[in-house]
């Protein structure tokens, strides 16, 4: 079995004292793509920021361990952690424009990681950076290299940021909704590039998305989050074939048809994700769950092994198959 590049255990993050990530644990093996899915507000980005050591000022890491290989990142000095960022670990952010420096030329921003982490001369640094811009589908890369972010479209800024993340061929890539702002052709190109990176350099990828088509196409394993927790986790084929948590059942049944047959009306999940501080007692999905009963309101279900592989947290997992 290949070794785990990333191991997260019992991660807890709060904002103003309210939990937003509440006991999350998962691992990603070398060269594996783990997809984290769930509606907006479930704590996916906060989990990613915690792994990067880039939580926003309002958020606090309360407890848990985050290991890159054997190194515990939570106890690592900031200077050492900074050294890992951009080289061993890189992140593609959900908000591309906010993560580019408006005052610095695009090319210089792509080069920065190379300058910090690689010992190349300036001509070689420039050559590698321009090649990277080309690889992420930016036309006229030498011209774009000399421009400022405001001179690029939103989609192009997204691609420039992806180039920044990939330039040092990181061991672990965290991609938070990486292709949301991109049209389908460029999206396919970026996803292909990420796969190629995995295949050629063995990059391990944590891919956050709510596009189930992307999950089906990219992921080896899937973790479904709801209200700050992982509520089901399994290899991709297993979880698309059979879900043991009603939320995963509803979410994964919204996968678009890839065979070209006309779309039928997709089942929707009634209600919304509860705000932080308003999570219900018992199972947090109970106000929206068609299978909820008294036990669900009173007691929180633990993550328990699924019948085949993986784990799910539902008192009535045996009834989920007959739900839809
Ligand atoms: N800067 C912030 N200030 C206050 N609350 C925040 C901030 N960022 C995120 N949150 C809250 O934290 C929770 C988890 O957010 P997030 O991790 O971004 O969810 P996801 O990525 O799954 O959509 C949400 O309830 C969100 O409203
Ligand atoms: S524990 Fe109960 S409320 Fe929660 S998902 Fe399962 S059936 Fe629904
Ligand atoms: Mg997010």
């Amino acid at each position: 079995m290949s070794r785990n590049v990333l191991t997260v255990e019992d991660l807890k993050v709060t904002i103003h004292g309210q939990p937003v990530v509440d006991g999350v644990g998962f691992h990603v093996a070398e060269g594996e793509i783990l997809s984290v899915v769930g509606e907006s507000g479930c704590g996916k980005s906060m989990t990613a920021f915690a792994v990067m050591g880039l939580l926003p000022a309002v958020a606090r890491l309360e407890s848990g361990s985050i290991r890159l290989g054997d190194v515990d990142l939570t106890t690592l000095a900031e200077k050492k952690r900074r050294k890992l960022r951009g080289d061993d670990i890189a992140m593609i952010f959900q908000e591309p424009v906010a993560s580019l420096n408006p005052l610095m030329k695009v090319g210089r921003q792509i080069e920065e990681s190379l300058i910090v982490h690689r010992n190349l001369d300036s001509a070689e640094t420039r050559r590698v950076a321009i090649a990277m811009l080309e690889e992420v589908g930016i036309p006229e890369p030498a011209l774009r290299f000399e421009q400022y972010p405001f001179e690029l479209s939103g989609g192009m800024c997204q691609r420039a940021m992806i180039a920044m993340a990939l330039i040092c061929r990181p061991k672990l890539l965290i991609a938070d909704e990486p292709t949301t702002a991109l049209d389908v052709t460029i999206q396919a190109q970026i996803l292909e590039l990420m796969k190629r990176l995995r295949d050629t350099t063995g990059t391990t990828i944590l891919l956050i998305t709510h596009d189930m088509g992307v999950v089906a196409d990219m992921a080896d394993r899937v973790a479904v989050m709801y209200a700050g927790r992982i509520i089901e986790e399994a290899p991709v084929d297993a979880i698309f074939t059979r879900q043991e948590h009603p939320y995963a059942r509803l979410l994964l049944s919204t996968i678009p048809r890839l065979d070209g047959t006309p779309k039928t009306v997709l089942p929707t999940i009634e209600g919304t994700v509860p705000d932080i501080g308003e999570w219900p007692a018992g199972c947090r999905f109970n106000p929206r769950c068609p299978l909820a009963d008294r036990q669900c309101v009173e007691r929180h279900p633990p993550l328990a092994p699924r019948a085949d592989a993986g784990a799910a947290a539902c008192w009535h997992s045996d009834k989920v198959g007959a739900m839809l």
Side-chain angles (χ1 to χ4, degrees):
M1 238 187 90
S2 54
R3 67 182 197 108
N4 288 332
V5 168
L6 178 66
T7 311
V8 173
E9 282 170 2
D10 203 19
L11 184 69
K12 292 192 177 141
V13 177
T14 56
I15 290 182
H16 304 309
Q18 299 288 352
V20 290
V21 177
D22 191 24
V24 162
F26 59 88
H27 58 87
V28 203
E30 189 168 8
E32 187 177 40
I33 301 179
L34 173 70
S35 203
V36 178
V37 301
E39 290 160 292
S40 259
C42 286
K44 305 182 301 294
S45 292
M46 287 300 149
T47 302
F49 289 141
V51 172
M52 285 301 285
L54 293 175
L55 280 171
V58 290
R60 201 178 119 99
L61 179 72
E62 298 288 343
S63 58
S65 80
I66 302 167
R67 291 197 305 280
L68 185 71
D70 298 327
V71 180
D72 189 341
L73 299 179
T74 57
T75 55
L76 201 66
E78 181 50 31
K79 200 173 159 196
K80 287 193 178 154
R81 202 158 184 189
R82 209 175 309 134
K83 220 166 158 234
L84 293 179
R85 272 199 296 270
D87 190 6
D88 286 348
I89 315 184
M91 180 160 170
I92 300 172
F93 295 88
Q94 203 172 347
E95 302 294 337
V97 181
S99 46
L100 288 173
N101 180 344
L103 302 176
M104 202 191 270
K105 283 184 181 170
V106 171
R108 176 80 188 129
Q109 298 189 56
I110 313 285
E111 284 182 329
E112 200 158 67
S113 258
L114 283 176
I115 294 167
V116 174
H117 301 294
R118 300 281 183 273
N119 195 18
L120 306 176
D121 66 34
S122 62
E124 183 63 1
T125 302
R126 185 187 157 89
R127 193 196 61 74
V128 173
I130 291 175
M132 190 74 240
L133 284 175
E134 188 161 25
E135 219 176 335
V136 295
I138 292 190
E140 300 182 276
L143 170 76
R144 299 303 181 183
F145 184 90
E146 300 295 344
Q147 291 184 318
Y148 289 91
F150 77 88
E151 296 175 270
L152 271 58
S153 67
M156 239 188 269
C157 282
Q158 177 88 341
R159 279 175 272 165
M161 194 190 54
I162 292 170
M164 263 164 79
L166 301 184
I167 191 90
C168 285
R169 314 281 158 178
K171 275 196 203 119
L172 173 67
L173 173 68
I174 300 177
D176 190 359
E177 315 264 3
T179 55
T180 317
L182 303 174
D183 69 49
V184 285
T185 317
I186 301 293
Q187 173 174 342
Q189 195 178 339
I190 298 293
L191 294 173
E192 269 314 305
L193 176 63
M194 283 168 51
K195 266 198 218 162
R196 201 161 68 235
L197 199 67
R198 186 270 295 271
D199 294 342
T200 55
T201 43
T203 302
T204 300
I205 301 175
L206 183 67
L207 174 63
I208 299 171
T209 178
H210 50 227
D211 184 330
M212 295 305 143
V214 171
V215 175
D217 186 35
M218 297 284 290
D220 298 308
R221 256 184 327 120
V222 181
V224 184
M225 277 187 81
Y226 189 78
R229 293 203 169 182
I230 289 176
I231 51 88
E232 186 154 9
E233 172 271 309
V236 66
D237 291 344
I239 206 164
F240 273 113
T241 308
R242 176 190 146 83
Q243 304 85 28
E244 292 198 5
H245 191 289
Y247 181 66
R249 176 99 178 108
L250 292 164
L251 196 72
L252 270 56
S253 65
T254 62
I255 182 172
R257 300 296 299 260
L258 299 172
D259 58 7
T261 50
K263 277 186 194 169
T264 50
V265 177
L266 299 171
T268 51
I269 309 175
E270 297 280 328
T272 53
V273 178
D275 286 335
I276 53 172
E278 290 176 13
W279 290 343
C283 173
R284 288 176 191 156
F285 189 56
N286 81 64
R288 303 173 73 188
C289 183
L291 301 181
D293 65 5
R294 204 164 138 197
Q295 182 184 19
C296 305
V297 177
E298 289 172 353
R299 293 173 58 218
H300 199 293
L303 259 183
R306 286 168 31 113
D308 46 6
C314 174
W315 293 124
H316 303 302
S317 52
D318 55 329
K319 301 196 187 105
V320 173
M323 245 178 72
L324 294 177

